[in-house]
Amino acid sequence: EPVPALEQAPQDTAVEARAVPARAEEESRRVEHRPARRRPVVPILIPALIVVAAAAAAYAFFSSRSSEPVAAPVVTTAGRLVASLDLGGDADLAMIQSDSSNVTSLLQRDGADIDPSWSPDGTRIAFTAEMGDALVIAVVEANGQGFTALTAVDVHSVDPAWSPDGTRIAFASDREGDLDIYVMNSDGTGALNLTRFEGDDRAPAWSPDGRTIVFQSNREGQIDIYRMDADGSGVARLTSDPADDTDPSVSPDGSRIAFISTRGGDADVFVMGPDGRGLSDVTRNDVDDRAPSWNPHGAILFTSAVTNSTALFAVRPDGSGLSRVADGVTGVSSAAWQPIDVDPAALTARATSTPTAIAPPFELPEGAFAFASNREGQFDLFSMDFGGENLTALSDLPNDERHPALSPAGSQLAFDVAFTDTQRIFVVDLGSPAAGVITLTQGSEPAHTARWSPDGTLIAYEVDAERGPDVVLVRPDGSGAARLISRPGYDGCLSWRPEGEQIAFTSDRDGDLNVYLMNVDGTDLKRLTQHAGVDRCPAWSPDGARIAFISNRSGEGVYLTDAEGANVRLLVALSGASQPAWSPDGHFLLVASDQDGDFDVYLIAVDEASIWNLTADSKADEVDPIWTR
């Protein structure tokens, strides 16, 4: 049958600033030759945003603070901070001297701006910005210049946190249904989902060495604090009290995590070690304390209720030295201390504007790639340079064409075509178009996804048999077809070893989908991966030393293993990824993914574990990428 259009399943989601959206039912993904379904995001109204940010309304439920407790000696609070506060309507960002000597509005624009986070060099601020009906991650220079939105306006993105080296920003987004933790480059490119897990994950905070991220999640029924490695692996639960534990923040030396907990009745500041041990309360009062963060002096900055409003306070981790910060400034919903004393006035020459183009995070390879796209209505084959130039149509048939496969010599192209009652594979001689097209498969069973042997003498492909997909070997002229695998269940998504004596493939013969190896004659079957998750679609590296594959074992994405199945690691996190394709030099991978909504072709720099969307400008689906030269 023709490849169906990617369907959209409407979702009903509600996100408000500092509120947890309703959980959308997680969509199952089939492991097959067709791309996974998209997860659309329905535009969401956020009527409570201004209410949350406006001081009096946001904290109307707080008890009034009859007096402001100040312990002696007070903590060191000299410095500059940026705060989100009510300046007469929306929550706006303002630069504040801690002694209240200067309060300057940073942005004058419509829409609330909340949750500021400083870049490590003290020159830029990331924050959550209200734009229309959406919440986006934006950045601005410390002098208020160069406002730039980094995330799309058709989804909600909140809670930015700058990495210690200044190259990345962690944030939470509902672009795949529920809230997950993402990491993107500081220019907004290369967003990766780290916590593709049922439940809402948000409020990420980096460790000082950049190796781990703590965050809050309700994945186990209540809101607790979790820690994971910066690649999304190694998730560990740090708190388990029945009360809500939220808003983690890691101390400058990494020895403690401050967070908010309601385990004492109201919301108070607590601290614990990076492993969740040594927990203790910091604030002990009968009003709600919120939004903890650390200043460079090792004190905890937080907001707390005063009479009919909210104000900023600082306290030592042991609860001593409580001090009012920026005395006289009220209506504060969140704040962040400038990590390095940089005068915003000195940044005038650095003022930037919203870029019209963003450079890739690594040097792109030379040459071109081919792919299938429905940008003209049906799936046709195209080629394009890696820089986005010279888009060329390779086919123009009245049916969908998918899964291009170039012969090792580059002289022949195999691809499959969907008909009303079946799907067939064709081979065309690129050097002699007059020679015509060879119909590689003739039977009634749908055939697809051809893969050339390294010497070009054989083609392996999949057929959708009645009992499940099988693997067939055939010569490029269509002769000598023989079933290599024929059994009930799934077998497919295969890759030839560069030496040609083995094939790696995906199979469910032992229950879960895993990667297997076998000789070309079907002997010496070996299970390569051993995991309860889904391991699928292997791809041998050109030197035969590594295999890239798709898995969800520590978050869905592209993984690497050695040829023996050991040393498995997550390379990049990607949703709905297809079988990777190695560059001839082994430095890059091409893969299709629905990471940004529709399917696009991504380029992965293997050594840098960095990623770039090659077809981001298209609103169509681009799939099945291969290298052409």
Side-chain angles (χ1 to χ4, degrees):
E1 293 295 328
V3 179
L6 299 181
E7 300 173 5
Q8 291 191 345
Q11 301 172 12
D12 182 14
T13 312
V15 176
E16 298 179 356
R18 286 294 174 193
V20 180
R23 166 68 187 169
E25 181 176 344
E26 182 150 348
E27 184 179 337
S28 62
R29 297 187 182 273
R30 297 178 57 199
V31 180
E32 57 181 4
H33 63 282
R34 297 181 177 90
R37 293 178 177 178
R38 312 175 193 170
R39 284 178 166 176
V41 178
V42 178
I44 307 162
L45 294 176
I46 47 171
L49 179 62
I50 297 175
V51 176
V52 171
Y59 296 93
F61 61 91
F62 289 167
S63 303
S64 63
R65 184 188 293 266
S66 57
S67 61
E68 298 166 9
V70 177
V74 297
V75 298
T76 303
T77 58
R80 183 184 294 110
L81 58 150
V82 62
S84 176
L85 66 156
D86 180 13
L87 292 178
D90 293 332
D92 293 319
L93 294 185
M95 200 69 67
I96 303 174
Q97 287 295 132
S98 59
D99 61 1
S100 304
S101 61
N102 188 16
V103 179
T104 305
S105 178
L106 195 63
L107 290 168
Q108 291 81 38
R109 66 175 208 93
D110 294 332
D113 300 319
I114 58 175
D115 302 327
S117 171
W118 283 96
S119 64
D121 62 3
T123 65
R124 292 179 293 169
I125 301 161
F127 59 99
T128 302
E130 182 189 15
M131 298 184 68
D133 291 334
L135 297 173
V136 304
I137 305 301
V139 294
V140 68
E141 298 282 329
N143 59 9
Q145 304 288 327
F147 172 86
T148 304
L150 300 183
T151 59
V153 296
D154 58 349
V155 296
H156 289 292
S157 300
V158 296
D159 305 342
W162 224 298
S163 67
D165 63 3
T167 63
R168 293 173 291 172
I169 297 174
F171 63 102
S173 179
D174 68 350
R175 62 185 63 186
E176 293 184 27
D178 59 357
L179 283 171
D180 288 309
I181 304 297
Y182 290 75
V183 171
M184 63 181 170
N185 298 323
S186 59
D187 62 5
T189 62
L192 304 176
N193 189 339
L194 301 184
T195 62
R196 191 169 287 104
F197 197 93
E198 185 172 354
D200 290 311
D201 307 317
R202 61 178 305 175
W206 297 81
S207 63
D209 59 9
R211 295 181 178 179
T212 60
I213 296 173
V214 295
F215 61 99
Q216 71 179 59
S217 177
N218 65 354
R219 60 181 60 192
E220 298 184 55
Q222 62 194 39
I223 305 177
D224 281 305
I225 308 299
Y226 293 76
R227 184 191 66 229
M228 64 181 171
D229 294 339
D231 63 1
S233 63
V235 177
R237 186 179 181 180
L238 300 184
T239 66
S240 58
D241 192 272
D244 287 340
D245 297 327
T246 63
D247 299 319
S249 179
V250 185
S251 64
D253 63 2
S255 65
R256 282 164 291 194
I257 299 171
F259 64 100
I260 297 298
S261 180
T262 59
R263 63 187 65 198
D266 60 351
D268 284 309
V269 179
F270 283 71
V271 293
M272 62 182 171
D275 57 359
R277 300 178 182 178
L279 186 145
S280 63
D281 57 344
V282 178
T283 60
R284 309 170 186 89
N285 53 57
D286 57 359
V287 298
D288 283 327
D289 304 322
R290 302 284 182 181
S293 62
W294 296 81
N295 75 5
H297 313 294
I300 301 171
L301 184 72
F302 64 98
T303 67
S304 189
V306 294
T307 304
N308 297 324
S309 191
T310 53
L312 279 172
F313 293 83
V315 66
R316 294 191 182 96
D318 62 3
S320 65
L322 181 68
S323 173
R324 176 88 176 254
V325 177
D327 193 11
V329 176
T330 59
V332 185
S333 61
S334 54
W337 212 282
Q338 189 179 31
I340 298 175
D341 186 14
V342 177
D343 186 356
L347 302 177
T348 302
R350 291 180 37 142
T352 60
S353 60
T354 302
T356 57
I358 301 175
F362 49 84
E363 184 177 355
L364 297 177
E366 296 182 356
F369 64 101
F371 56 96
S373 174
N374 61 1
R375 60 179 62 201
E376 296 181 4
Q378 65 181 33
F379 278 102
D380 292 309
L381 304 183
F382 296 83
S383 68
M384 185 171 70
D385 294 345
F386 283 100
E389 301 174 343
N390 298 322
L391 178 69
T392 303
L394 301 179
S395 64
D396 187 19
L397 300 178
N399 304 78
D400 285 334
E401 303 107 58
R402 293 283 308 275
H403 302 107
L406 196 64
S407 65
S411 59
Q412 292 178 293
L413 181 70
F415 58 95
D416 44 77
V417 179
F419 296 92
T420 302
D421 57 348
T422 189
Q423 191 163 322
R424 292 195 176 101
I425 298 175
F426 294 83
V427 177
V428 60
D429 192 328
L430 299 177
S432 303
V437 177
I438 298 172
T439 304
L440 193 71
T441 62
Q442 300 280 356
S444 60
E445 294 174 321
H448 54 87
T449 320
R451 295 287 182 260
W452 294 81
S453 65
D455 62 4
T457 61
L458 290 171
I459 294 176
Y461 64 90
E462 299 175 40
V463 292
D464 293 337
E466 195 171 313
R467 63 188 172 278
D470 291 340
V471 176
V472 178
L473 288 180
V474 67
R475 297 187 186 95
D477 61 4
S479 65
R483 301 226 172 192
L484 181 60
I485 302 176
S486 179
R487 71 169 193 91
Y490 181 86
D491 296 285
C493 210
L494 56 92
S495 173
W496 292 82
R497 189 165 187 157
E499 296 84 356
E501 77 277 9
Q502 279 186 313
I503 289 177
F505 64 101
T506 306
S507 180
D508 63 357
R509 61 189 59 217
D510 292 322
D512 299 312
L513 284 170
N514 274 279
V515 177
Y516 290 76
L517 301 179
M518 66 178 174
N519 294 335
V520 179
D521 61 4
T523 62
D524 196 20
L525 179 69
K526 174 186 176 182
R527 181 173 172 177
L528 187 70
T529 64
Q530 309 278 338
H531 198 272
V534 173
D535 295 339
R536 59 183 177 89
C537 294
W540 284 98
S541 63
D543 61 3
R546 293 174 292 176
I547 296 176
F549 65 99
I550 309 302
S551 180
N552 63 355
R553 54 175 63 199
S554 296
E556 191 174 0
V558 180
Y559 288 71
L560 287 179
T561 181
D562 60 29
E564 303 302 320
N567 301 314
V568 177
R569 68 180 178 91
L570 177 66
L571 179 61
V572 296
L574 275 175
S575 67
S578 65
Q579 186 171 24
W582 287 89
S583 63
D585 62 7
H587 293 310
F588 298 93
L589 285 167
L590 286 171
V591 64
S593 166
D594 64 353
Q595 179 79 21
D596 293 327
D598 58 353
F599 275 85
D600 285 306
V601 176
Y602 291 81
L603 181 67
I604 302 171
V606 176
D607 294 339
E608 295 87 351
S610 187
I611 193 165
W612 178 248
N613 190 335
L614 295 171
T615 59
D617 292 339
S618 169
K619 301 303 179 184
D621 293 307
E622 277 82 28
V623 293
D624 312 331
I626 61 169
W627 296 79
T628 60
R629 61 180 189 269

